[in-house]
Amino acid sequence: MHCRLKPKISTVSKSFYVTTPIFYVNDAPHIGHAYTEVACDVLARWHRQRGEETFLLTGTDEHGEKVLRTALGNQTDPKSWTDKLVTESWLPLLKTIDIDNQDFIRTTEPRHEVAVQKFLQKLFDDDYIYQGSFEGNYCVGCEEYKNDGDLIDGADTFAGQRVCAIHSKPVEQLNETNYFFKLSQFQEKLLDHYEQNPTFIQPASARNEVVSFVKSGLSDLSISRSKERFDWGIDIPWDSEHITYVWFDALLNYITAIGYGSDEEKLKSLWPADVQVVGKDILRFHAVIWPAMLMAAELEPPRQVFGHGWLLVGGEKMSKSKLTGISPNQITDIFGSDAFRYYFMKAIGFGSDGSFSWEDLSARYHSELANGFGNLASRTVAMVNRYYDGVIQAPGEFTDADKRVSNIAATATREADLAIAQIAPHEAIAKIWTLVDELNSYITTQEPWVLAKDPAKNERLSTVLYTAVEGLRCLAVLLYPVMPKATGRLWDSIGSSLGALADQPLSSCETWGLLQPGVKLGELEALFPRVEESA
Ligand code: MSP
């Protein structure tokens, strides 16, 4: 008998892939870096809860003059310096603010260096790279070539000089023989891409800025530096007298970490990234140079690049070099990681700049977290303990007031999901908070403590407390991506009979009545203990 074998089709299902920028290790992290990490982690956790395979990548950008100079300034070599900072500061940051990343890439790892060289060689072989000479300005702080128009007048010590608009320091003059990437060839392709993919660059204001920048004309990009000047970087594969320009090296982390040049299956299962979140200062690298590099290598651009705003101090971007950086520990030691995550995601519209203030953080911690959410959870659990020995009772018939709570839970779930799809975590939290507010006013108007005094109202009391605990169940699931620790404690008390919190799908918040009567609640300590004013 003739038997035809079906061809084997390898089906690779695409996971949700989100990336942070990789951070310079010239110093320890401040809350600006942590802000980006938290936003990406919230997006990843939300998508995971939607039932999607999710991959969050973060890491460190270790080459270049800026890191080298800092290392030498600290009487050490760049390798020892970056090893120390990554181990003592950058990896611990992820624990401090509860980041659940799937990988952490360092640009000094062989897996990255080898793949960068493969990428460069391909572009060189395909005639996208040529040798030329570069003359112009360079800002070591930005690790960026600057046009005269990018500079501003300096102040104080630098009065009378032109300085970098971000670092407020004079730029350096370069005159080198470099290799160039034919970026100018991609002007039309990029503009077509922006037009055909209107949400490729977000928010809209950032998109407009990038489109007009590209329309004004692109020059070819110097992608190497001469070793005569410094050699802390990846060798250009065909010319050992040059190293790779740090940005060309760094941008490639997004694909070298997921198998470019070594694991095609993994690459296909993740690339193109669904969203690449960056600070607005580095949007052009990600929305212009990066997609052009990918196009040259016959790879798809990411689906979206989102440029978020800055945390400001005194109206300027917070930065360690200007000594305005606040360490994330300073906040988490007092308020905890959940409050850190909540505060930055809620108080600053994602995409806009925002100023951090201790007063605002403390006020929101007490009113929104301790009194709004924490107290709701504590008193609900306390009443089930007091009136029913902690056991969830079967509800009676649901009234309009009860149904309103379940409707708000379902609406909040859908609207928060839409907000996350638009990379608006502040809006998602605001939608979820409609349920916190509703439950608080539900308890106030239903007055379970009054019902408890009248045995004839026992069924109504059971229904009110059932509704309140069901509402808390939904809040635990919806707020888990933002506040994994507090919601985990709440879940241990009310929801563990349903399985692990991380396994609860978001859709479970559109279904009412999942908690089974007869289940006994566990103890619940205050989710957000009061913080002494002197702190
Ligand atoms: N190494 C480059 C990125 C390479 S990505 C291929 C770099 N590093 S950085 O350490 O200077 O900053 C990286 C990111 O940190 C910014 O894009 C931004 O997301 C975050 N932030 C740094 N300072 C910040 C604020 N003051 N406010 C908000 N985010 C800030 O650029």
Side-chain angles (χ1 to χ4, degrees), residues 22-24 30 32-33 36 61 254 279 282 308 311 317-318:
I22 51 170
F23 302 94
Y24 289 127
H30 61 61
H33 306 119
T36 318
D61 188 355
Y254 303 127
I282 58 170
H308 69 67
L311 300 191
K317 181 182 176 220
M318 172 182 301

Side-chain angles (χ1 to χ4, degrees), residues 232-253:
W232 179 234
I234 300 175
D235 276 4
I236 292 287
W238 59 89
D239 185 342
S240 58
E241 293 306 305
H242 291 82
I243 53 164
T244 312
Y245 168 46
V246 63
W247 267 100
F248 204 87
D249 155 357
L251 286 162
L252 286 168
N253 89 87

Side-chain angles (χ1 to χ4, degrees), residues 334-345:
I334 300 170
F335 292 96
S337 58
D338 280 340
F340 184 101
R341 295 167 61 100
Y342 171 83
Y343 175 75
F344 285 107
M345 289 301 100

Side-chain angles (χ1 to χ4, degrees), residues 403-424:
K403 287 182 198 153
R404 198 181 132 81
V405 175
S406 56
N407 284 338
I408 286 180
T411 309
T413 307
R414 283 193 295 275
E415 291 184 347
D417 194 38
L418 283 176
I420 293 288
Q422 285 159 9
I423 324 289

Side-chain angles (χ1 to χ4, degrees), residues 12-23:
V12 186
S13 66
K14 167 82 178 70
S15 302
F16 181 83
Y17 179 33
V18 51
T19 64
T20 73
I22 51 170
F23 302 94

Side-chain angles (χ1 to χ4, degrees), residues 434-445:
T434 59
L435 181 57
V436 173
D437 294 339
E438 172 61 23
L439 282 167
N440 273 318
S441 67
Y442 174 80
I443 290 178
T444 308
T445 50

